[in-house]
Amino acid sequence: MCRHIPACPTADSADAEAAVVVAAHPEQGWSLLCNGVLLFDDTGELLPEGRAVAPHRPAPV
């Protein structure tokens, strides 16, 4: 999906959240990244193949 140069990280890479936002709906709490990842405000993710990634906020110090 990404047409940027250099290309954004793929959806299955460790830094997938670094991809460019192509659609944002902050009022609904989500953003679509150019690699197909649906990123939620709680840091959860929905990957293009349908797999969900649980929220992974850092632990409070």
Side-chain angles (χ1 to χ4, degrees):
M1 289 175 70
C2 181
R3 295 188 178 159
H4 302 99
I5 306 224
C8 291
T10 62
D12 58 351
S13 67
D15 59 345
E17 295 175 11
V20 173
V21 173
V22 294
H25 289 276
E27 71 282 358
Q28 295 178 352
W30 63 269
S31 297
L32 176 64
L33 306 180
C34 71
N35 58 7
V37 172
L38 195 57
L39 182 63
F40 297 98
D41 286 350
D42 69 354
T43 68
E45 302 172 12
L46 186 59
L47 302 180
E49 75 271 3
R51 187 169 52 95
V53 176
H56 49 277
R57 289 186 173 150
V61 181

